[in-house]
Amino acid sequence: MPIVQTENLTKVYNPETVPVHALRNVSITIDTGEFTSIVGPSGSGKTTLLNMIGGLDKPTSGTVLVDGVNVTRLKDRQLINFRLKNIGFVFQHFNLIPVFTARENVSFIMLLQKKDKKEMRQRTDELLEAVGLGSLKDARPREMSGGQQQRVAVARALASRPRFILADEPTASLDTRAAMNLLDIMLRMNHEEQVTFIFSTHDQRVIDRARRVITMVDGIVEADEHRK
Amino acid sequence: MLMHFKLAWRNIWRKPRRTLITCSAIVFAVVAAIAMQSINRGSYEAMIERMVSFSTGHLQLQDYRYEDESSLDNAFPIDQTTLELVRSADERIEHVVPRLETFMLAANEEYTRGAILLGIDTDKEHRFNTIRNHLTEGRFFEPDEQAVVLTQGLSSRLQLGVGDTLILIGQGRFGMSASGLFTITGLLEHPIREMNTQAVYMPLKTAQGLLSAENHLTALLISPQRERHTEQVAASIREVFADSELVVFTWPELMPELLELMELDLAGPRFITAILYVVIGFGFLGTVLTMTLERIREFGMLLSIGMSRGRLVGVVFLETFLISCLGVLSGMALAWLILRLADPIRLSGNAALALMDLGFEPVLPMSFALDQFLMQGLYVFFMAMLASLYPLVTIFRLNILDASRK
Ligand SMILES: Nc1ncnc2c1ncn2[C@@H]1O[C@H](COP(=O)(O)OP(=O)(O)OP(=O)(O)O)[C@@H](O)[C@H]1O
Ligand SMILES: [Mg+2]
């Protein structure tokens, strides 16, 4: 069942001055439960594509359908709500609220969703255990390593029970071990919680473990490879 | 809600030093503003108290015709019942002082001067004001004596002293001639300059006899325990005398020029306070500005993950609100403490001598009126809230992608 569909997605930055064609007629379909990585050289449009799918930016032309809803038509306020309900985000840096503990960071998103207190507490604990941070629940971001912070971000992204998770280079600032560890967790969550992951990466070891690899070059989908 | 509060509270302590400095600036502004206001209001109130007690009283009950034509013909009869009615009109009434006042000529064998004759009930007058302390020579008269106390200005113009005889010439009620000879029992330096050149004090009974105004008064002075109750007490008395020919005036109505003068006096400090607030306002804006700029990425992240702009604005507003509350409340507390410890400020040097010359204690009294604490606090608070508009606007206009690239 398709969860994300883009049709002829095109993005041109600075169309009036120095036009940059970041995306050219990108049409892809991503099904529920996929573990998809978007790869390509720097400047090939990976971030742009993820931003379009996440409703963080508007395309120049083309559409993005999430669960059949045309995201490009939504207004700012609807988009924020849409993201809260449907999408979990993991960014490369600066994912967490610095003054909140791991536990609070994870709960916060459920609070925004007005989830029940008890459920909130239970799920937070569950998720932090699942990403291997059972002992750091009360630590603040600056007391954690980069890898640990990214794991909290993944837990946070999962906490809202989103339709899919978008992660833009989640491992880029991590060393190999932390990167592999994060990827293991993401894979396991993909299995256990049936959450769809769409993430971009440069990292060959990460790419090797993805089950679908979409390769972008100059804003065009150059290859789309499914593995088993 | 609790979570949002927690977020705001911790955010303000992210840079504790900055928050403390900002708070201190607010505390300083509040303390300075309150101290200035308190001293000003204190001396303002003391000044009103003096002026009023030596001249019109806080309130006056008069015949309604007296206002337009201040003649003895418009004096009103006074009896025990009327006095009772006044006394029981409002429990905040402290003094009720009778006056019979008219314009006369004062003379010795050679010279004649215009004078204001004040028939007073010595007992009540002395309880009401400190005129007795302003005697420079001699004594006050007994209630039935054919005697006067002369103000210094008048005595030197007429070259009369204690023991000499003063001639008073004028008209009593309904054109009856009124003149007589009176022994001067004392001289006094009247604290109000214009009065010092004109006033002649006489026992009420004697004055009523002289002026054919037995049992009549031109005014009944009424003063509440506190100046600020003047209007309320006036209202109570008005109610009681609604159907009579007697009307009540308050001191601002009786002496509008005094009120203007004081307003003028207060304008300077108000201006300084306003400048202080603007300076503090900009200081606070500086803090808020850096606080906003260094958190743009965080704001972008929060908007990305689905926190609505409204909620984010709520949290940031709460932060500035908390900082200013902290500053304002501690400022108010500190101001109160400082003022309590300092009150009343004893003056020394020339200022003290000048006041003592006038017969006053050389102190700067302070006002502890609650409303001025609240008002100053509110002003500062308002400035802070104004400054907090900056992050609010920023958040509402923030482009998420720009924010995450910062
Ligand atoms: N806001 C912008 N204004 C102008 N050009 C932009 C903007 N954002 C991206 N671009 C351009 O669009 C192209 C695609 O950028 P994008 O960030 O999507 O690439 P990327 O694949 O994510 O690269 P990287 O691997 O370095 O993150 C680039 O040429 C980039 O310079
Ligand atoms: Mg990128």
Side-chain angles (χ1 to χ4, degrees):
Chain A
M1 206 177 72
I3 179 149
V4 176
Q5 279 177 288
T6 71
E7 279 165 26
N8 295 323
L9 202 58
T10 298
K11 177 72 184 182
V12 183
Y13 287 111
N14 315 323
E16 260 103 65
T17 52
V18 195
V20 178
H21 291 263
L23 294 178
R24 305 168 200 252
N25 293 316
V26 174
S27 301
I28 52 170
T29 299
I30 291 168
D31 286 327
T32 308
E34 277 189 15
F35 196 74
T36 302
S37 113
I38 297 173
V39 305
S42 184
S44 56
K46 306 182 292 291
T47 299
T48 308
L49 178 59
L50 289 182
N51 285 346
M52 298 295 153
I53 295 172
L56 295 172
D57 201 358
K58 297 254 187 243
T60 309
S61 64
T63 53
V64 177
L65 299 178
V66 171
D67 244 354
V69 175
N70 188 345
V71 178
T72 53
R73 291 256 178 79
L74 296 180
K75 300 226 171 57
D76 180 75
R77 191 189 295 220
Q78 295 168 311
L79 266 176
I80 288 180
N81 203 27
F82 180 82
R83 288 197 293 269
L84 177 62
K85 279 205 192 116
N86 298 292
I87 312 175
F89 285 92
V90 180
F91 307 101
Q92 182 182 344
H93 304 283
F94 216 84
N95 266 296
L96 305 178
I97 300 170
V99 296
F100 270 176
T101 62
R103 195 201 297 265
E104 288 162 339
N105 263 291
V106 175
S107 311
F108 190 66
I109 192 102
M110 289 187 273
L111 187 94
L112 294 178
Q113 292 178 319
K114 305 198 171 78
K115 287 263 165 68
D116 168 69
K117 280 256 157 55
K118 210 167 126 205
E119 185 194 338
M120 208 161 93
R121 210 166 307 139
Q122 211 174 344
R123 183 150 175 82
T124 302
D125 284 351
E126 240 172 60
L127 284 169
L128 285 173
E129 301 281 351
V131 299
L133 292 175
S135 59
L136 284 171
K137 283 177 192 155
D138 293 315
R140 301 235 184 141
R142 73 176 130 77
E143 297 155 353
M144 291 186 266
S145 71
Q148 290 166 336
Q149 289 184 32
Q150 289 306 76
R151 282 189 266 160
V152 178
V154 170
R156 198 254 326 264
L158 286 162
S160 58
R161 296 190 191 276
R163 309 281 289 127
F164 59 96
I165 289 178
L166 288 177
D168 192 9
E169 316 225 16
T171 59
S173 39
L174 304 183
D175 60 38
T176 309
R177 246 186 65 199
M180 288 306 117
N181 182 297
L182 188 74
L183 203 74
D184 284 342
I185 288 165
M186 284 164 58
L187 266 169
R188 197 171 73 240
M189 290 299 154
N190 175 245
H191 271 294
E192 285 174 8
E193 304 233 349
Q194 301 297 312
V195 201
T196 313
F197 274 87
I198 308 169
F199 57 95
S200 72
T201 186
H202 275 113
D203 190 335
Q204 194 52 49
R205 286 156 305 188
V206 174
I207 299 169
D208 290 345
R209 304 185 59 176
R211 281 202 303 271
R212 176 178 175 190
V213 180
I214 298 175
T215 310
M216 312 247 342
V217 175
D218 278 343
I220 295 171
V221 177
E222 207 194 46
D224 185 351
E225 169 190 8
H226 288 260
R227 306 167 180 172
K228 68 159 183 40
Chain B
M1 198 52 225
L2 188 70
M3 199 85 159
H4 289 92
F5 183 85
K6 224 193 245 176
L7 183 55
W9 181 254
R10 290 195 196 155
N11 275 329
I12 67 178
W13 296 111
R14 252 154 107 157
K15 298 262 165 82
R17 202 179 319 160
R18 179 169 65 202
T19 301
L20 286 177
I21 290 173
T22 308
C23 273
S24 315
I26 297 177
V27 168
F28 171 78
V30 171
V31 169
I34 291 181
M36 201 143 63
Q37 283 288 317
S38 181
I39 292 174
N40 273 308
R41 276 262 290 264
S43 19
Y44 174 88
E45 279 162 12
M47 191 135 92
I48 289 174
E49 207 58 44
R50 278 171 209 154
M51 291 295 279
V52 159
S53 72
F54 288 117
S55 52
T56 60
H58 299 83
L59 295 165
Q60 280 196 7
L61 195 63
Q62 300 175 349
D63 186 280
Y64 75 97
R65 285 160 291 218
Y66 191 77
E67 159 85 342
D68 290 328
E69 195 194 343
S70 305
S71 137
L72 283 174
D73 298 352
N74 294 327
F76 63 94
I78 188 75
D79 53 28
Q80 209 50 42
T81 335
T82 315
L83 283 174
E84 290 297 324
L85 275 176
V86 171
R87 279 231 162 262
S88 54
D90 195 306
E91 57 189 11
R92 286 168 292 195
I93 293 176
E94 192 172 23
H95 300 287
V96 177
V97 183
R99 285 272 172 87
L100 183 67
E101 198 179 314
T102 191
F103 197 76
M104 293 197 92
L105 291 175
N108 59 9
E109 281 93 25
E110 283 176 65
Y111 308 110
T112 308
R113 294 272 170 208
I116 295 170
L117 178 70
L118 291 151
I120 59 166
D121 179 322
T122 34
D123 280 353
K124 288 182 177 156
E125 192 80 21
H126 291 333
R127 256 176 275 141
F128 174 51
N129 60 34
T130 56
I131 194 79
R132 203 203 315 239
N133 300 348
H134 297 263
L135 268 183
T136 51
E137 227 179 293
R139 60 174 176 85
F140 252 91
F141 35 68
E142 298 300 321
D144 310 312
E145 242 181 312
Q146 287 286 317
V148 291
V149 166
L150 216 54
T151 43
Q152 280 284 348
L154 206 53
S155 95
S156 60
R157 284 183 187 184
L158 293 172
Q159 294 172 343
L160 292 171
V162 172
D164 293 342
T165 301
L166 178 76
I167 307 167
L168 285 173
I169 309 155
Q171 259 187 358
R173 261 166 83 75
F174 305 118
M176 305 285 275
S177 88
S179 48
L181 302 178
F182 300 89
T183 313
I184 298 167
T185 60
L187 299 181
L188 65 77
E189 180 83 40
H190 202 287
I192 298 172
R193 192 165 298 160
E194 306 90 86
M195 293 293 278
N196 201 32
T197 56
Q198 305 188 67
V200 176
Y201 285 90
M202 181 184 277
L204 183 62
K205 278 266 150 45
T206 313
Q208 285 171 335
L210 172 69
L211 301 169
S212 317
E214 276 78 11
N215 297 321
H216 276 66
L217 301 177
T218 49
L220 192 63
L221 278 53
I222 301 159
S223 68
Q225 286 148 5
R226 290 182 193 281
E227 194 280 325
R228 69 179 113 101
H229 294 143
T230 301
E231 287 299 336
Q232 292 149 10
V233 171
S236 314
I237 298 174
R238 256 178 216 128
E239 208 168 298
V240 172
F241 289 95
D243 301 324
S244 81
E245 299 196 327
L246 298 179
V247 288
V248 172
F249 293 100
T250 59
W251 69 264
E253 293 169 333
L254 295 164
M255 296 186 289
E257 64 291 346
L258 178 62
L259 194 67
E260 273 167 35
L261 200 75
M262 306 227 166
E263 294 289 341
L264 209 68
D265 256 18
L266 285 180
R270 282 217 185 101
F271 183 68
I272 297 175
T273 313
I275 289 180
L276 192 70
Y277 286 156
V278 171
V279 170
I280 293 303
F282 276 108
F284 194 72
L285 186 64
T287 303
V288 167
L289 220 96
T290 39
M291 223 164 109
T292 308
L293 289 180
E294 63 191 25
R295 278 165 67 193
I296 289 287
R297 290 186 61 149
E298 184 184 334
F299 292 161
M301 181 270 289
L302 288 167
L303 295 176
S304 300
I305 65 169
M307 186 172 192
S308 71
R309 290 178 198 263
R311 272 171 192 259
L312 186 53
V313 158
V315 170
V316 175
F317 183 77
L318 192 59
E319 290 170 21
T320 44
F321 177 83
L322 285 172
I323 295 184
S324 38
C325 268
L326 218 63
V328 167
L329 290 180
S330 15
M332 294 202 302
L334 189 64
W336 192 84
L337 202 73
I338 291 177
L339 292 182
R340 268 288 167 232
L341 290 176
D343 179 61
I345 296 176
R346 295 231 146 245
L347 293 176
S348 56
N350 287 338
L353 288 179
L355 270 180
M356 283 196 289
D357 265 358
L358 290 172
F360 298 122
E361 260 199 289
V363 294
L364 265 185
M366 292 189 197
S367 163
F368 284 89
L370 188 64
D371 66 299
Q372 100 195 355
F373 278 75
L374 294 181
M375 281 322 286
Q376 299 312 316
L378 272 180
Y379 288 144
V380 175
F381 188 67
F382 180 74
M383 291 297 303
M385 291 298 98
L386 215 60
S388 75
L389 286 180
Y390 177 80
L392 307 196
V393 172
T394 307
I395 290 170
F396 272 115
R397 295 170 54 176
L398 193 67
N399 177 301
I400 297 178
L401 284 184
D402 290 347
S404 58
R405 256 198 300 274
K406 282 258 158 61

